[in-house]
Amino acid sequence: MAAKGDMVYAWAADAACQEKGECGGAVTALLTHALESGMVDAVLAIKKGQDIYDAVPTLITDPAEIAETAGSLHCGTLLLSKLVKKYLEGAEDMRIAMPVKGCDAMGLYELAKRNQVNLDNVLMIGLNCGGSVSPVLARKMIAEKFDVDPDSVVKEEIDKGQFIIVTEDGQHKGISMDDLEEEGYGRRSNCRRCKMKVPRQADLACGNWGVIGDQAGKATFVEVCSEKGANLLDGAVKAGALKTGAANPKGIEIRGKVENAMLKLGDKWRAKDFEGLGEGKERLQKIMDATSRCIKCYACIENCPICYCVECSTKKSYLVTPGQVPPPFMFHLIRYAHISDSCINCGQCEENCAMDIPNALFMHALQADLQEMFGHVPGVDMELPVLALVEEQTERKRLSDTGSDQIFNIFE
Ligand code: FAD
Ligand code: SF4
Ligand code: SF4
Ligand code: SF4
Ligand code: SF4
């Protein structure tokens, strides 16, 4: 019987699934088993759309269709969490299994804290994540740095620090990610700063790091992170859908080292990006200058997993004067005030911004400061955010009883 903390190599029993999968198809086999066995009512996964730059989220209720979602798409920069809230009623009445990168899992936890997603109904198959590349920049990078027509690329992967492409005539080309990033290409800037490399708040954490020897590329390293995850793994093995083997001890060590190296790299990018913003008034001025390009398209709010309010304060005329473009700075201040303690640095507000304003950088810099001050880490568990709403009546009574003038007594 598997248990939390166990680490195994896993691969699909079915040869076609093994072949189609990114690293042996274990995740596809687990999702298929979850649906076939009735553990869940549906699977929410990603499949390739028009090309490798087009990652399409798909809700599946027929197990035969899950195979279409096998493989990793690094140039599709979508976030799955808000889709669960927006289109699947927060999984309130539907049990869903889904592959989740670190940011997907973090977003689900933040929505769950706000009662917008029912985590009891979500089975999270975590994917380790070194980062993703914006589709627009990926095309530019492939044309300019690889000297290859982006439309001729049929497969991309990030392996051993390289961004590798495979073209339709079978050519393989790889360039070091560090070199690409030094020149302004490579992973999205939020991904460079990301430190959620192995999503252990999911039920299982799966990835290629640590799979060595003959099995490299043919199996996935699975860490069991919850009882739910252990049950899924056991069930899939028992049903003959998944094969597992002991993880190579050397592989376990390597996986730990790679994870640590990635965390250090994340710290390096944080220091660089945040220092570049300056501090105090200088930072404020930079933020005000950049946001003065805003056309109030609302994409940042629409795509942020923390923004879920039916009545958004930015639409209240007494807070943000309507009809002005760019909107008054209050529009952005409201978002900073509401979200900065919980920002998961998913990058959606930047990726989707019509004016290329580095919104995620601004919010992440604030979040990092708040984390340093109050120790609250968003997206890892169900701990409420620093600026959690209080019960109004209870709070009024507390203020009246104590004579305190502090609305949020965060220092207690
Ligand atoms: P498969 O059976 O091929 O299933 C893959 C699953 O991933 C499918 O369900 C598919 O829907 C889903 N998926 C594909 N693209 C996305 C996406 N963009 N967002 C969410 N879900 C997606 N592992 C590491 O150890 N180190 C890494 O640095 C690393 N980086 C990754 C970066 C990205 C963007 C992704 C998606 C995965 C990454 N992985 C990484 C995980 C690794 O690539 C494999 O997904 C994992 O080993 C499982 O392999 P498999 O054959 O079992 O998966
Ligand atoms: Fe991966 Fe982190 Fe980027 Fe999400 S934010 S895609 S988890 S590197
Ligand atoms: Fe993601 Fe931006 Fe919202 Fe932060 S503010 S959680 S980066 S969308
Ligand atoms: Fe809610 Fe504030 Fe986001 Fe508007 S900006 S949706 S009020 S959290
Ligand atoms: Fe303004 Fe960009 Fe947000 Fe649109 S996405 S409202 S342009 S900051």
Side-chain angles (χ1 to χ4, degrees):
M1 292 290 281
K4 193 173 164 186
D6 283 0
M7 296 181 191
V8 293
Y9 286 172
W11 58 97
D14 176 70
C17 180
Q18 226 181 79
E19 179 64 28
K20 196 150 189 284
E22 185 74 13
C23 304
V27 170
T28 304
L30 286 161
L31 291 170
T32 309
H33 173 73
L35 188 56
E36 260 171 4
S37 64
M39 273 178 94
V40 295
D41 306 307
V43 162
L44 175 64
I46 313 295
K47 72 175 175 193
K48 192 168 95 176
Q50 292 298 311
D51 50 36
I52 57 148
Y53 315 98
D54 184 23
V56 183
T58 319
L59 187 74
I60 299 172
T61 50
D62 175 359
E65 288 174 19
I66 298 177
E68 290 169 30
T69 65
S72 299
L73 290 167
H74 300 91
C75 304
T77 45
L78 75 185
L79 185 81
L80 291 172
S81 356
K82 201 157 181 190
L83 302 181
V84 177
K85 143 78 189 151
K86 243 183 169 176
Y87 303 109
L88 304 173
E89 284 156 15
E92 199 44 58
D93 300 312
M94 187 194 270
R95 294 163 307 154
I96 303 168
M98 51 197 280
V100 289
K101 306 178 297 296
C103 50
D104 298 320
M106 291 170 94
L108 285 169
Y109 271 83
E110 287 306 313
L111 282 163
K113 283 177 202 178
R114 291 161 176 80
N115 293 323
Q116 301 302 308
V117 162
N118 180 2
L119 277 193
D120 291 341
N121 278 344
V122 182
L123 184 57
M124 286 189 249
I125 305 192
L127 303 173
N128 299 351
C129 187
S132 55
V133 185
S134 148
V136 176
L137 192 65
R139 292 183 70 93
K140 193 168 181 284
M141 174 169 86
I142 289 168
E144 291 175 0
K145 297 302 293 177
F146 289 74
D147 203 15
V148 164
D149 172 6
D151 288 325
S152 72
V153 177
V154 289
K155 172 89 188 119
E156 47 68 34
E157 57 180 327
I158 302 175
D159 191 28
K160 297 190 184 70
Q162 285 208 322
F163 185 77
I164 300 166
I165 54 166
V166 183
T167 55
E168 51 201 0
D169 57 1
Q171 274 189 67
H172 280 65
K173 274 192 175 181
I175 301 184
S176 143
M177 202 52 127
D178 286 349
D179 293 349
L180 290 168
E181 289 180 356
E182 281 308 320
E183 294 181 46
Y185 299 98
R187 297 168 302 160
R188 295 183 294 161
S189 65
N190 65 298
C191 291
R192 298 175 193 177
R193 297 190 302 271
C194 175
K195 287 172 65 180
M196 189 48 69
K197 300 288 119 189
V198 178
R200 295 188 176 87
Q201 68 278 63
D203 297 300
L204 297 169
C206 307
N208 54 294
W209 288 335
V211 183
I212 57 169
D214 291 349
Q215 280 176 296
K218 295 182 193 144
T220 280
F221 190 116
V222 181
E223 179 174 341
V224 179
C225 304
S226 74
E227 203 182 311
K228 242 182 196 176
N231 290 340
L232 174 63
L233 191 76
D234 281 340
V237 171
K238 206 166 161 219
L242 189 77
K243 304 250 187 231
T244 56
N248 185 321
K250 187 82 193 148
I252 299 179
E253 196 188 319
I254 291 173
R255 177 176 177 264
K257 281 189 180 155
V258 178
E259 186 185 1
N260 276 333
M262 291 302 291
L263 296 179
K264 282 199 185 118
L265 193 60
D267 280 331
K268 193 195 98 180
W269 278 108
R270 283 178 188 215
K272 188 169 184 246
D273 288 0
F274 297 161
E275 273 164 25
L277 270 182
E279 281 184 5
K281 281 187 186 160
E282 187 196 349
R283 179 178 289 193
L284 180 64
Q285 193 59 54
K286 279 196 176 139
I287 295 178
M288 288 181 80
D289 287 349
T291 51
S292 70
R293 298 202 304 275
C294 174
I295 56 165
K296 210 181 176 190
C297 69
Y298 281 101
C300 47
I301 292 175
E302 273 300 306
N303 291 288
C304 176
I306 322 280
C307 278
Y308 68 90
C309 313
V310 177
E311 285 190 31
C312 175
S313 303
T314 63
K315 292 183 181 162
K316 308 244 188 263
S317 58
Y318 52 87
L319 292 173
V320 179
T321 314
Q324 287 182 7
V325 173
F329 189 53
M330 181 56 94
F331 176 86
H332 303 281
L333 281 179
I334 289 172
R335 261 179 52 79
Y336 299 141
H338 291 186
I339 293 154
S340 53
D341 63 348
S342 300
C343 170
I344 56 158
N345 181 39
C346 66
Q348 293 299 308
C349 54
E350 194 165 315
E351 183 79 15
N352 292 291
C353 174
M355 298 306 289
D356 284 340
I357 299 168
N359 289 309
L361 169 63
F362 300 154
M363 198 71 88
H364 189 207
L366 286 170
Q367 185 279 323
D369 281 351
L370 285 171
Q371 183 171 328
E372 202 175 309
M373 279 187 245
F374 302 111
H376 176 70
V377 187
V380 291
D381 54 28
M382 288 297 281
E383 190 185 285
L384 288 178
V386 184
L387 306 177
L389 281 176
V390 290
E391 279 294 323
E392 188 184 349
Q393 293 308 324
T394 319
E395 193 59 7
R396 281 192 190 284
K397 185 171 181 315
R398 184 183 72 77
L399 291 176
S400 149
D401 289 351
T402 59
S404 160
D405 62 354
Q406 233 174 10
I407 296 177
F408 294 105
N409 201 350
I410 50 182
F411 300 104
E412 261 184 351

